[in-house]
Amino acid sequence: MDSHGGNDGLVSIWDVNSGKLSRDLEGHSGPVLSVAFSPDGMGVVTGSVDGTVRVWNAKTGELIRTLPSQSDAVVNAVQYSPDGTFIASTADDRSLHLWNAQTGAELGLLEERNADLFYDALISPDLKYLAAGGADSSTGYLGELSVWDRESSQKIWSTQTETEIYLLAFSPDSKTLASAQYDGTHVIWDVSSGRELVSIDGLA
């Protein structure tokens, strides 16, 4: 199965083998900016301009729950943890939420006052870290990258980059983190220290 979120607030799930539309998920009142399947493929989480995070049954299309208010802030990214027990969501009110994927209970709220926007957030494969990337308008939209200890919600490190950070990816062993910037630059970071290991310049 594959999923796609549209500007009409509709999320479509497609059969990868046949290319046929399996079902639509209807309920968002604004464009959907992020969609993610649960690791077992049974659930789908969506984030929208309408300020809500919604959890769906991937097989039936039924809305399971709408997670508590994001203060009407645009939800830019949603992601399941690798074990499917947590959901992370980021919004443009500088907030990063953690939710219990089964109950919808809020497990934590992190507010990054150095960044105006979070574009992406991930929970590491070993579940120890939470990373978020975005931008800070007060510095001319320099990029912002932060890593927290997931259990304590304590920030481990934070750094700025030349341009906004849009995408993140942890290595399978959770020891390194890759970031992709607006200017096409890709950087690999040491997760525990924040040290830059590799930088690949974007194409002009």
Side-chain angles (χ1 to χ4, degrees):
M1 292 289 186
D2 191 15
S3 60
H4 174 265
N7 288 335
D8 55 2
L10 194 68
V11 177
S12 299
I13 297 179
W14 306 81
D15 185 284
V16 174
N17 294 318
S18 67
K20 293 182 178 179
L21 177 66
S22 296
R23 64 193 57 84
D24 288 326
L25 310 180
E26 300 183 57
H28 282 294
S29 61
V32 176
L33 301 184
S34 185
V35 180
F37 273 101
S38 61
D40 63 7
M42 299 299 293
V44 173
V45 61
T46 57
S48 170
V49 170
D50 67 12
T52 64
V53 175
R54 301 187 182 218
V55 181
W56 314 78
N57 183 308
K59 302 301 181 182
T60 66
E62 176 188 3
L63 176 64
I64 298 174
R65 66 180 56 87
T66 300
L67 298 181
S69 172
Q70 301 282 306
S71 302
D72 296 324
V74 172
V75 180
N76 294 307
V78 292
Q79 186 67 50
Y80 275 95
S81 63
D83 66 351
T85 59
F86 307 106
I87 292 172
S89 67
T90 64
D92 65 2
D93 61 354
R94 307 177 181 180
S95 66
L96 172 56
H97 293 257
L98 279 179
W99 315 91
N100 183 302
Q102 299 303 315
T103 67
E106 187 174 29
L107 301 175
L109 169 61
L110 305 175
E111 292 183 293
E112 176 53 83
R113 293 304 178 187
N114 294 328
D116 286 330
L117 299 170
F118 280 141
Y119 294 120
D120 200 11
L122 290 177
I123 300 171
S124 63
D126 64 4
L127 307 181
K128 291 182 179 180
Y129 303 104
L130 182 63
D136 179 9
S137 64
S138 69
T139 58
Y141 279 99
L142 292 178
E144 289 282 344
L145 176 61
S146 298
V147 173
W148 293 265
D149 178 275
R150 185 190 61 80
E151 288 192 358
S152 68
S153 296
Q154 295 298 308
K155 186 185 291 184
I156 300 173
W157 57 269
S158 184
T159 190
Q160 287 188 331
T161 57
E162 292 295 324
T163 56
E164 302 101 312
I165 293 175
Y166 283 106
L167 294 173
L168 300 173
F170 276 103
S171 61
D173 62 5
S174 301
K175 292 183 178 180
T176 55
L177 175 68
S179 64
Q181 297 173 201
Y182 176 78
D183 62 1
T185 300
H186 297 75
V187 180
I188 298 177
W189 311 85
D190 179 84
V191 172
S192 61
S193 67
R195 181 167 60 95
E196 182 180 310
L197 301 176
V198 179
S199 179
I200 304 171
D201 292 336
L203 298 178

